[in-house]
Amino acid sequence: MSLDPAQRHQIEQDAITAAWEAERLAACDEAIALLREIADLERDDDGDVIIGTDADGHNDLMSRIASFLAANDR
């Protein structure tokens, strides 16, 4: 049985929406993982998170956060 153009269009739109929602959920999962990592970091006397760097001034966590934001900033 053949689909009429309106049905085909609706199926295509539903597929696009489902793919977008799956992408957003994956991004949320990644963001939650980064936030959990931040929550586990050492804190100073005021309760502020201490984000340290290596001898060259690099921080893997901050690099991953920056990459995440660049990839998901829409």
Side-chain angles (χ1 to χ4, degrees):
M1 176 155 96
S2 178
L3 298 174
D4 68 49
Q7 290 173 317
R8 186 172 316 135
H9 177 74
Q10 185 60 52
I11 291 170
E12 290 170 352
Q13 292 303 308
D14 290 347
I16 291 168
T17 299
W20 181 85
E21 288 175 353
E23 184 180 316
R24 301 305 338 155
L25 286 174
C28 287
D29 288 344
E30 189 177 345
I32 289 168
L34 288 169
L35 289 171
R36 284 187 175 138
E37 229 177 293
I38 292 168
D40 290 339
L41 293 175
E42 184 180 345
R43 296 179 180 275
D44 65 13
D45 293 338
D46 295 326
D48 297 325
V49 172
I50 300 170
I51 299 179
T53 58
D54 63 15
D56 296 325
H58 298 109
N59 180 287
D60 180 61
L61 177 60
M62 292 305 291
S63 295
R64 291 189 352 250
I65 291 170
S67 294
F68 171 82
L69 292 173
N72 292 285
D73 184 20
R74 295 180 195 179

XYZ file of all heavy atoms in Angstrom:
566
model
N 0.842 -1.164 0.000
C 0.000 0.000 0.000
C 0.898 1.241 0.000
O 1.809 1.372 0.799
C -0.913 -0.022 1.224
C -1.742 1.198 1.353
S -3.239 0.939 2.277
C -2.890 1.430 3.885
N 0.626 2.133 -0.893
C 1.415 3.338 -1.061
C 0.921 4.437 -0.126
O -0.268 4.563 0.145
C 1.290 3.794 -2.519
O 2.003 4.975 -2.713
N 1.869 5.213 0.352
C 1.523 6.340 1.222
C 1.264 7.575 0.377
O 1.929 7.813 -0.628
C 2.674 6.636 2.181
C 3.072 5.535 3.157
C 4.318 5.964 3.916
C 1.945 5.255 4.124
N 0.310 8.371 0.830
C 0.100 9.633 0.118
C 1.197 10.615 0.563
O 1.864 10.397 1.573
C -1.314 10.177 0.338
C -1.584 10.639 1.761
O -0.761 11.399 2.307
O -2.624 10.260 2.317
N 1.403 11.671 -0.203
C 2.490 12.610 0.115
C 2.425 13.194 1.529
O 3.457 13.389 2.162
C 2.331 13.699 -0.942
C 1.687 13.008 -2.101
C 0.764 12.003 -1.478
N 1.241 13.453 2.029
C 1.106 14.018 3.376
C 1.568 13.012 4.431
O 2.261 13.385 5.391
C -0.334 14.430 3.641
N 1.212 11.745 4.253
C 1.654 10.722 5.193
C 3.172 10.546 5.134
O 3.833 10.419 6.168
C 0.971 9.384 4.887
C -0.504 9.352 5.207
C -1.143 8.066 4.717
O -0.870 7.602 3.614
N -2.005 7.495 5.552
N 3.715 10.521 3.945
C 5.157 10.377 3.776
C 5.889 11.548 4.436
O 6.885 11.367 5.135
C 5.504 10.310 2.290
C 6.969 10.005 2.037
C 7.269 9.750 0.588
N 6.258 8.885 0.007
C 5.684 9.091 -1.178
N 6.046 10.113 -1.919
N 4.771 8.276 -1.641
N 5.363 12.749 4.225
C 5.966 13.942 4.829
C 5.928 13.845 6.360
O 6.915 14.164 7.033
C 5.243 15.202 4.352
C 5.768 16.450 4.981
N 6.972 17.012 4.630
C 5.255 17.231 5.966
C 7.177 18.093 5.367
N 6.152 18.252 6.178
N 4.807 13.400 6.903
C 4.681 13.283 8.365
C 5.664 12.259 8.915
O 6.302 12.477 9.950
C 3.251 12.911 8.765
C 3.046 12.905 10.268
C 3.316 14.267 10.892
O 2.775 15.269 10.454
N 4.157 14.313 11.917
N 5.834 11.146 8.223
C 6.786 10.119 8.653
C 8.213 10.677 8.623
O 8.992 10.455 9.555
C 6.659 8.849 7.781
C 5.326 8.158 8.082
C 7.825 7.897 8.001
C 4.976 7.045 7.115
N 8.544 11.416 7.581
C 9.871 12.040 7.492
C 10.081 13.030 8.633
O 11.146 13.057 9.251
C 10.043 12.738 6.145
C 10.148 11.795 4.971
C 10.072 12.500 3.626
O 9.787 13.725 3.592
O 10.285 11.826 2.613
N 9.086 13.850 8.907
C 9.187 14.824 9.997
C 9.325 14.128 11.350
O 10.102 14.566 12.201
C 7.974 15.756 10.001
C 7.926 16.689 8.812
C 9.177 17.542 8.720
O 9.579 18.201 9.664
N 9.824 17.511 7.562
N 8.585 13.045 11.551
C 8.685 12.288 12.802
C 10.086 11.697 12.960
O 10.643 11.680 14.066
C 7.642 11.175 12.848
C 6.217 11.706 12.999
O 6.042 12.909 13.314
O 5.274 10.921 12.776
N 10.662 11.207 11.877
C 12.013 10.634 11.927
C 13.041 11.715 12.259
O 13.956 11.494 13.064
C 12.356 9.954 10.605
N 12.898 12.880 11.650
C 13.809 14.001 11.940
C 13.691 14.414 13.400
O 14.703 14.626 14.084
C 13.526 15.185 10.993
C 13.936 14.822 9.560
C 14.226 16.455 11.474
C 13.446 15.798 8.504
N 12.468 14.507 13.895
C 12.242 14.884 15.292
C 12.838 13.852 16.240
O 13.488 14.203 17.228
C 10.736 15.059 15.570
O 10.231 16.100 14.722
C 10.473 15.412 17.021
N 12.648 12.571 15.946
C 13.186 11.508 16.799
C 14.712 11.557 16.824
O 15.332 11.393 17.884
C 12.700 10.147 16.312
N 15.338 11.806 15.683
C 16.801 11.892 15.624
C 17.291 13.093 16.429
O 18.278 13.001 17.165
C 17.264 11.987 14.178
N 16.612 14.221 16.305
C 16.981 15.419 17.053
C 16.853 15.171 18.555
O 17.735 15.541 19.333
C 16.100 16.589 16.624
C 16.427 17.861 17.337
C 17.380 18.770 17.008
C 15.804 18.361 18.531
N 17.385 19.804 17.907
C 16.433 19.579 18.853
C 14.772 17.891 19.346
C 16.059 20.330 19.969
C 14.409 18.649 20.448
C 15.045 19.854 20.742
N 15.758 14.547 18.969
C 15.547 14.273 20.386
C 16.606 13.314 20.925
O 17.099 13.493 22.046
C 14.144 13.724 20.625
C 13.065 14.783 20.475
C 11.654 14.230 20.588
O 11.483 12.996 20.662
O 10.722 15.042 20.593
N 16.986 12.313 20.155
C 18.029 11.382 20.577
C 19.364 12.102 20.740
O 20.101 11.866 21.699
C 18.157 10.245 19.573
N 19.655 13.013 19.827
C 20.893 13.803 19.901
C 20.893 14.682 21.140
O 21.890 14.803 21.842
C 21.024 14.649 18.641
C 22.301 15.443 18.548
C 22.351 16.265 17.266
O 21.998 15.742 16.194
O 22.742 17.440 17.359
N 19.766 15.313 21.432
C 19.664 16.185 22.606
C 19.798 15.375 23.894
O 20.421 15.809 24.854
C 18.336 16.950 22.623
C 18.069 17.832 21.440
C 19.059 18.890 21.038
N 19.977 19.370 22.020
C 21.167 19.920 21.764
N 21.567 20.090 20.543
N 21.953 20.314 22.722
N 19.188 14.186 23.936
C 19.301 13.345 25.131
C 20.747 12.908 25.351
O 21.226 12.890 26.487
C 18.392 12.122 25.017
C 16.903 12.393 25.188
C 16.100 11.130 24.896
C 16.610 12.891 26.598
N 21.448 12.582 24.282
C 22.861 12.210 24.394
C 23.669 13.391 24.918
O 24.557 13.222 25.763
C 23.396 11.734 23.049
N 23.370 14.591 24.448
C 24.065 15.789 24.923
C 23.768 16.021 26.403
O 24.668 16.400 27.168
C 23.664 17.009 24.097
N 22.537 15.794 26.812
C 22.185 15.945 28.233
C 22.947 14.947 29.087
O 23.448 15.295 30.163
C 20.677 15.767 28.439
S 19.703 17.152 27.835
N 23.053 13.716 28.622
C 23.810 12.700 29.354
C 25.271 13.111 29.500
O 25.867 12.955 30.566
C 23.719 11.338 28.654
C 22.349 10.699 28.785
O 21.555 11.135 29.650
O 22.078 9.751 28.022
N 25.841 13.646 28.433
C 27.231 14.092 28.468
C 27.388 15.269 29.432
O 28.354 15.333 30.200
C 27.704 14.478 27.074
C 29.190 14.746 26.991
C 29.653 15.055 25.581
O 28.916 14.796 24.608
O 30.773 15.574 25.453
N 26.443 16.193 29.414
C 26.490 17.347 30.315
C 26.383 16.896 31.769
O 27.100 17.401 32.640
C 25.368 18.330 29.984
N 25.518 15.952 32.038
C 25.366 15.432 33.403
C 26.659 14.789 33.873
O 27.085 14.989 35.015
C 24.180 14.449 33.479
C 22.869 15.227 33.348
C 24.217 13.641 34.772
C 21.651 14.355 33.126
N 27.318 14.035 32.998
C 28.594 13.410 33.360
C 29.642 14.466 33.691
O 30.386 14.333 34.680
C 29.078 12.501 32.232
N 29.700 15.541 32.894
C 30.646 16.620 33.181
C 30.312 17.308 34.503
O 31.207 17.622 35.299
C 30.649 17.633 32.045
C 31.302 17.184 30.739
C 30.991 18.186 29.627
C 32.795 17.004 30.908
N 29.041 17.540 34.764
C 28.643 18.184 36.015
C 28.961 17.312 37.222
O 29.393 17.817 38.266
C 27.148 18.522 35.984
C 26.762 19.651 35.041
C 25.248 19.737 34.926
C 27.359 20.972 35.490
N 28.783 16.006 37.079
C 29.133 15.100 38.180
C 30.630 15.148 38.460
O 31.059 15.095 39.608
C 28.699 13.677 37.851
C 27.224 13.478 38.012
C 26.825 12.027 37.853
N 25.412 11.891 38.124
C 24.593 11.139 37.424
N 25.046 10.417 36.412
N 23.313 11.065 37.727
N 31.416 15.238 37.407
C 32.859 15.338 37.574
C 33.224 16.625 38.308
O 34.076 16.630 39.194
C 33.542 15.303 36.204
C 34.681 14.324 36.155
C 35.285 14.244 34.778
O 34.610 13.763 33.857
O 36.449 14.677 34.649
N 32.577 17.723 37.949
C 32.824 18.998 38.609
C 32.418 18.918 40.083
O 33.125 19.410 40.964
C 32.063 20.142 37.899
C 32.661 20.381 36.511
C 32.092 21.424 38.730
C 31.833 21.273 35.620
N 31.286 18.272 40.352
C 30.799 18.156 41.728
C 31.767 17.386 42.614
O 31.823 17.628 43.827
C 29.435 17.483 41.735
N 32.551 16.498 42.015
C 33.501 15.691 42.777
C 34.845 16.382 42.990
O 35.709 15.847 43.674
C 33.742 14.353 42.069
C 32.531 13.447 42.130
O 31.666 13.648 43.014
O 32.439 12.532 41.291
N 35.041 17.572 42.423
C 36.317 18.268 42.548
C 36.498 18.843 43.952
O 35.537 19.078 44.687
C 36.416 19.402 41.515
C 36.499 18.977 40.065
C 36.471 20.203 39.157
C 37.757 18.155 39.802
N 37.745 19.090 44.271
C 38.092 19.681 45.555
C 37.500 21.085 45.662
O 37.341 21.791 44.675
C 39.624 19.755 45.646
C 40.140 20.268 46.953
C 41.669 20.312 46.986
O 42.306 19.683 46.122
O 42.188 20.992 47.863
N 37.187 21.480 46.881
C 36.603 22.806 47.118
C 37.474 23.595 48.098
O 38.133 23.019 48.947
C 35.184 22.672 47.665
C 34.260 22.013 46.664
C 32.858 21.841 47.207
N 32.030 21.218 46.198
C 31.396 21.875 45.230
N 31.492 23.173 45.152
N 30.664 21.218 44.350
N 37.413 24.921 47.974
C 38.153 25.761 48.911
C 37.313 25.993 50.166
O 36.225 25.429 50.312
C 38.585 27.080 48.255
C 37.422 27.970 47.861
O 36.270 27.723 48.294
O 37.658 28.937 47.114
N 37.810 26.829 51.071
C 37.118 27.075 52.347
C 35.734 27.693 52.175
O 34.870 27.553 53.038
C 37.967 27.982 53.244
C 39.245 27.297 53.704
O 39.282 26.044 53.691
O 40.204 28.007 54.055
N 35.527 28.406 51.060
C 34.224 29.022 50.795
C 33.259 28.079 50.088
O 32.129 28.445 49.802
C 34.398 30.280 49.946
C 35.161 31.364 50.671
O 35.015 31.464 51.913
O 35.905 32.109 50.016
N 33.748 26.878 49.733
C 32.899 25.914 49.032
C 32.973 26.020 47.525
O 32.254 25.318 46.817
N 33.842 26.904 47.032
C 33.997 27.046 45.583
C 34.862 25.918 45.042
O 35.834 25.502 45.682
C 34.651 28.385 45.229
C 33.795 29.568 45.654
O 32.556 29.453 45.585
O 34.373 30.588 46.051
N 34.509 25.432 43.882
C 35.263 24.359 43.248
C 36.630 24.875 42.815
O 36.754 25.969 42.282
C 34.498 23.802 42.025
C 35.349 22.825 41.237
C 33.215 23.130 42.468
N 37.648 24.059 43.061
C 39.000 24.383 42.635
C 39.277 23.617 41.352
O 39.268 22.390 41.342
C 40.039 23.995 43.709
C 39.767 24.753 45.006
C 41.463 24.239 43.196
C 40.581 24.262 46.187
N 39.479 24.350 40.264
C 39.795 23.722 38.982
C 41.255 24.013 38.694
O 41.619 25.133 38.356
C 38.882 24.241 37.849
C 37.432 23.903 38.171
C 39.303 23.643 36.508
C 36.428 24.367 37.150
N 42.081 23.006 38.899
C 43.515 23.174 38.727
C 43.950 22.887 37.296
O 43.192 22.390 36.471
N 45.188 23.240 37.018
C 45.766 22.984 35.708
C 47.091 22.254 35.888
O 47.664 22.252 36.981
C 46.023 24.302 34.939
O 46.896 25.115 35.712
C 44.722 25.040 34.676
N 47.575 21.665 34.799
C 48.882 21.028 34.863
C 49.973 22.097 34.729
O 49.685 23.294 34.675
C 49.020 19.929 33.804
C 48.943 20.445 32.376
O 49.072 21.667 32.152
O 48.755 19.614 31.465
N 51.235 21.669 34.686
C 52.357 22.604 34.639
C 52.313 23.522 33.416
O 52.828 24.634 33.444
C 53.674 21.835 34.674
N 51.680 23.050 32.340
C 51.587 23.850 31.118
C 50.332 24.719 31.070
O 50.058 25.374 30.070
C 51.622 22.940 29.884
C 52.933 22.194 29.749
O 53.975 22.776 30.105
O 52.904 21.037 29.301
N 49.549 24.697 32.143
C 48.332 25.498 32.188
C 47.130 24.854 31.525
O 46.131 25.510 31.263
N 47.206 23.561 31.265
C 46.098 22.851 30.620
C 45.223 22.148 31.661
O 45.707 21.726 32.710
C 46.629 21.806 29.634
C 47.429 22.397 28.527
N 48.784 22.252 28.433
C 47.053 23.177 27.486
C 49.232 22.890 27.376
N 48.198 23.470 26.788
N 43.970 22.037 31.350
C 43.033 21.327 32.203
C 42.126 20.494 31.307
O 41.362 21.049 30.511
C 42.209 22.317 33.031
C 41.224 21.616 33.921
O 40.232 21.087 33.445
N 41.494 21.603 35.213
N 42.211 19.175 31.447
C 41.440 18.275 30.594
C 39.938 18.491 30.747
O 39.211 18.523 29.766
C 41.800 16.820 30.903
C 41.018 15.845 30.050
O 41.157 15.910 28.803
O 40.248 15.036 30.620
N 39.488 18.670 31.968
C 38.057 18.869 32.204
C 37.567 20.137 31.512
O 36.539 20.127 30.829
C 37.754 18.922 33.695
C 36.304 19.199 34.086
C 35.374 18.122 33.526
C 36.167 19.303 35.585
N 38.304 21.214 31.655
C 37.890 22.468 31.015
C 37.923 22.333 29.495
O 37.055 22.870 28.805
C 38.776 23.627 31.476
C 38.576 23.985 32.942
S 36.867 24.360 33.373
C 36.642 25.891 32.513
N 38.898 21.604 28.970
C 38.959 21.368 27.523
C 37.737 20.592 27.056
O 37.148 20.897 26.018
C 40.225 20.599 27.156
O 41.356 21.367 27.429
N 37.347 19.580 27.830
C 36.171 18.787 27.468
C 34.889 19.611 27.562
O 33.997 19.473 26.733
C 36.094 17.533 28.331
C 37.216 16.567 27.972
C 37.146 15.194 28.605
N 36.167 14.960 29.604
C 36.434 14.774 30.903
N 37.672 14.832 31.344
N 35.468 14.542 31.759
N 34.811 20.482 28.568
C 33.640 21.363 28.689
C 33.580 22.314 27.500
O 32.517 22.505 26.904
C 33.666 22.129 30.026
C 33.432 21.168 31.189
C 32.636 23.254 30.029
C 33.679 21.774 32.556
N 34.712 22.906 27.143
C 34.750 23.829 26.006
C 34.361 23.114 24.713
O 33.594 23.646 23.901
C 36.136 24.450 25.871
N 34.850 21.898 24.528
C 34.496 21.115 23.336
C 33.009 20.791 23.325
O 32.350 20.878 22.288
C 35.299 19.816 23.291
O 36.654 20.079 23.117
N 32.486 20.418 24.493
C 31.060 20.099 24.599
C 30.220 21.319 24.234
O 29.278 21.224 23.452
C 30.719 19.630 26.023
C 29.250 19.486 26.251
C 28.585 18.351 25.842
C 28.531 20.509 26.853
C 27.216 18.233 26.042
C 27.168 20.393 27.044
C 26.510 19.244 26.646
N 30.583 22.482 24.803
C 29.811 23.696 24.511
C 29.891 24.070 23.036
O 28.880 24.468 22.439
C 30.297 24.844 25.390
C 30.006 24.694 26.880
C 30.681 25.805 27.657
C 28.517 24.649 27.142
N 31.065 23.927 22.446
C 31.213 24.261 21.025
C 30.356 23.332 20.161
O 29.736 23.775 19.197
C 32.679 24.143 20.624
N 30.310 22.066 20.528
C 29.555 21.094 19.732
C 28.049 21.235 19.919
O 27.263 20.870 19.035
C 29.995 19.672 20.095
N 27.626 21.749 21.076
C 26.188 21.761 21.392
C 25.589 23.156 21.486
O 24.457 23.307 21.923
C 25.954 20.995 22.693
C 26.218 19.537 22.534
O 25.427 18.822 21.948
N 27.368 19.081 23.012
N 26.318 24.174 21.087
C 25.813 25.546 21.139
C 24.989 25.813 19.880
O 25.529 26.080 18.816
C 26.976 26.530 21.228
C 26.503 27.961 21.390
O 25.340 28.155 21.814
O 27.284 28.865 21.098
N 23.688 25.713 20.033
C 22.799 25.924 18.873
C 21.746 26.939 19.192
O 21.110 27.008 20.117
C 22.113 24.620 18.503
C 23.131 23.633 18.037
C 22.456 22.379 17.681
N 23.516 21.378 17.592
C 23.309 20.149 17.312
N 22.114 19.718 17.115
N 24.283 19.302 17.241
